[in-house]
mmCIF file of all heavy atoms in Angstrom:
data_model
loop_
_atom_site.group_PDB
_atom_site.id
_atom_site.type_symbol
_atom_site.label_atom_id
_atom_site.label_comp_id
_atom_site.label_asym_id
_atom_site.label_seq_id
_atom_site.Cartn_x
_atom_site.Cartn_y
_atom_site.Cartn_z
ATOM 1 N N ASP A 676 49.037 116.169 39.017
ATOM 2 C CA ASP A 676 47.592 116.467 38.984
ATOM 3 C C ASP A 676 47.331 117.827 38.356
ATOM 4 O O ASP A 676 46.378 117.995 37.567
ATOM 5 C CB ASP A 676 47.017 116.421 40.395
ATOM 6 C CG ASP A 676 47.035 115.009 40.978
ATOM 7 O OD1 ASP A 676 47.243 114.043 40.202
ATOM 8 O OD2 ASP A 676 46.878 114.880 42.220
ATOM 9 N N GLU A 706 38.574 123.008 40.865
ATOM 10 C CA GLU A 706 37.686 121.891 41.220
ATOM 11 C C GLU A 706 38.344 120.547 40.945
ATOM 12 O O GLU A 706 38.150 119.575 41.681
ATOM 13 C CB GLU A 706 36.402 122.016 40.415
ATOM 14 C CG GLU A 706 35.531 123.198 40.810
ATOM 15 C CD GLU A 706 34.348 123.377 39.872
ATOM 16 O OE1 GLU A 706 34.253 122.557 38.919
ATOM 17 O OE2 GLU A 706 33.572 124.305 40.076
ATOM 18 N N ARG A 756 53.768 134.029 55.805
ATOM 19 C CA ARG A 756 53.223 134.245 57.143
ATOM 20 C C ARG A 756 53.526 133.070 58.082
ATOM 21 O O ARG A 756 52.693 132.659 58.889
ATOM 22 C CB ARG A 756 51.718 134.511 57.093
ATOM 23 C CG ARG A 756 51.374 135.815 56.373
ATOM 24 C CD ARG A 756 49.892 136.048 56.360
ATOM 25 N NE ARG A 756 49.591 137.322 55.667
ATOM 26 C CZ ARG A 756 48.344 137.785 55.456
ATOM 27 N NH1 ARG A 756 47.308 137.062 55.869
ATOM 28 N NH2 ARG A 756 48.171 138.926 54.820
ATOM 29 N N LEU A 761 53.344 125.020 48.698
ATOM 30 C CA LEU A 761 53.945 124.604 47.432
ATOM 31 C C LEU A 761 53.181 125.312 46.310
ATOM 32 O O LEU A 761 51.965 125.175 46.184
ATOM 33 C CB LEU A 761 53.850 123.080 47.248
ATOM 34 C CG LEU A 761 54.312 122.543 45.896
ATOM 35 C CD1 LEU A 761 55.812 122.758 45.709
ATOM 36 C CD2 LEU A 761 53.958 121.058 45.754
ATOM 37 N N THR A 794 55.472 115.286 59.592
ATOM 38 C CA THR A 794 56.908 115.104 59.853
ATOM 39 C C THR A 794 57.278 115.551 61.268
ATOM 40 O O THR A 794 58.159 114.959 61.906
ATOM 41 C CB THR A 794 57.729 115.898 58.831
ATOM 42 O OG1 THR A 794 57.302 117.271 58.847
ATOM 43 C CG2 THR A 794 57.537 115.335 57.429
ATOM 44 N N ARG A 828 87.968 95.095 91.266
ATOM 45 C CA ARG A 828 87.875 95.477 92.685
ATOM 46 C C ARG A 828 88.445 94.392 93.580
ATOM 47 O O ARG A 828 89.138 94.682 94.563
ATOM 48 C CB ARG A 828 86.419 95.763 93.050
ATOM 49 C CG ARG A 828 85.904 97.102 92.538
ATOM 50 C CD ARG A 828 84.641 97.497 93.271
ATOM 51 N NE ARG A 828 83.583 96.512 93.084
ATOM 52 C CZ ARG A 828 82.684 96.554 92.112
ATOM 53 N NH1 ARG A 828 82.707 97.535 91.232
ATOM 54 N NH2 ARG A 828 81.749 95.624 92.001
ATOM 55 N N ASP A 866 102.236 83.947 95.429
ATOM 56 C CA ASP A 866 102.835 82.680 95.885
ATOM 57 C C ASP A 866 104.359 82.795 95.951
ATOM 58 O O ASP A 866 104.981 82.371 96.938
ATOM 59 C CB ASP A 866 102.437 81.548 94.928
ATOM 60 C CG ASP A 866 100.966 81.198 95.034
ATOM 61 O OD1 ASP A 866 100.349 81.515 96.076
ATOM 62 O OD2 ASP A 866 100.412 80.629 94.062
ATOM 63 N N GLU A 879 116.680 84.586 108.308
ATOM 64 C CA GLU A 879 116.947 85.624 109.303
ATOM 65 C C GLU A 879 116.880 85.060 110.712
ATOM 66 O O GLU A 879 117.708 85.384 111.575
ATOM 67 C CB GLU A 879 115.940 86.764 109.129
ATOM 68 C CG GLU A 879 116.193 87.949 110.050
ATOM 69 C CD GLU A 879 115.181 89.053 109.836
ATOM 70 O OE1 GLU A 879 114.215 88.845 109.073
ATOM 71 O OE2 GLU A 879 115.344 90.121 110.446
ATOM 72 N N ARG A 894 130.741 83.208 125.898
ATOM 73 C CA ARG A 894 130.832 83.909 127.182
ATOM 74 C C ARG A 894 131.682 83.121 128.186
ATOM 75 O O ARG A 894 132.509 83.703 128.908
ATOM 76 C CB ARG A 894 129.439 84.159 127.759
ATOM 77 C CG ARG A 894 128.603 85.082 126.898
ATOM 78 C CD ARG A 894 127.260 85.364 127.514
ATOM 79 N NE ARG A 894 127.374 86.247 128.661
ATOM 80 C CZ ARG A 894 126.336 86.672 129.377
ATOM 81 N NH1 ARG A 894 125.115 86.273 129.053
ATOM 82 N NH2 ARG A 894 126.512 87.473 130.398
ATOM 83 N N THR A 895 131.491 81.811 128.248
ATOM 84 C CA THR A 895 132.236 81.009 129.246
ATOM 85 C C THR A 895 133.729 80.998 128.957
ATOM 86 O O THR A 895 134.542 81.323 129.850
ATOM 87 C CB THR A 895 131.673 79.583 129.287
ATOM 88 O OG1 THR A 895 130.286 79.648 129.640
ATOM 89 C CG2 THR A 895 132.427 78.741 130.307
ATOM 90 N N ALA A 921 153.046 91.834 125.057
ATOM 91 C CA ALA A 921 152.118 90.809 124.569
ATOM 92 C C ALA A 921 151.003 90.562 125.573
ATOM 93 O O ALA A 921 149.832 90.393 125.207
ATOM 94 C CB ALA A 921 152.873 89.518 124.283
ATOM 95 N N THR A 929 141.222 90.804 124.614
ATOM 96 C CA THR A 929 140.234 89.946 125.268
ATOM 97 C C THR A 929 139.072 90.787 125.795
ATOM 98 O O THR A 929 137.891 90.406 125.686
ATOM 99 C CB THR A 929 140.885 89.156 126.408
ATOM 100 O OG1 THR A 929 141.969 88.362 125.894
ATOM 101 C CG2 THR A 929 139.875 88.260 127.093
ATOM 102 N N LEU A 969 131.725 107.837 135.498
ATOM 103 C CA LEU A 969 132.028 106.412 135.543
ATOM 104 C C LEU A 969 133.166 106.062 134.584
ATOM 105 O O LEU A 969 133.976 105.178 134.869
ATOM 106 C CB LEU A 969 130.768 105.608 135.199
ATOM 107 C CG LEU A 969 130.914 104.082 135.178
ATOM 108 C CD1 LEU A 969 131.270 103.563 136.578
ATOM 109 C CD2 LEU A 969 129.625 103.431 134.674
ATOM 110 N N ALA A 998 127.268 107.000 126.726
ATOM 111 C CA ALA A 998 128.614 106.437 126.620
ATOM 112 C C ALA A 998 129.025 106.255 125.165
ATOM 113 O O ALA A 998 130.167 106.569 124.779
ATOM 114 C CB ALA A 998 128.672 105.102 127.363
ATOM 115 N N THR A 1100 122.422 114.268 117.999
ATOM 116 C CA THR A 1100 121.353 114.787 118.847
ATOM 117 C C THR A 1100 120.378 113.677 119.177
ATOM 118 O O THR A 1100 119.746 113.095 118.282
ATOM 119 C CB THR A 1100 120.606 115.939 118.155
ATOM 120 O OG1 THR A 1100 121.540 116.957 117.802
ATOM 121 C CG2 THR A 1100 119.545 116.519 119.086
#
Side-chain angles (χ1 to χ4, degrees):
D676 293 346
E706 291 173 0
R756 295 181 180 178
L761 174 66
T794 54
R828 284 197 300 269
D866 290 339
E879 184 180 7
R894 296 183 72 179
T895 301
T929 302
L969 179 64
T1100 304

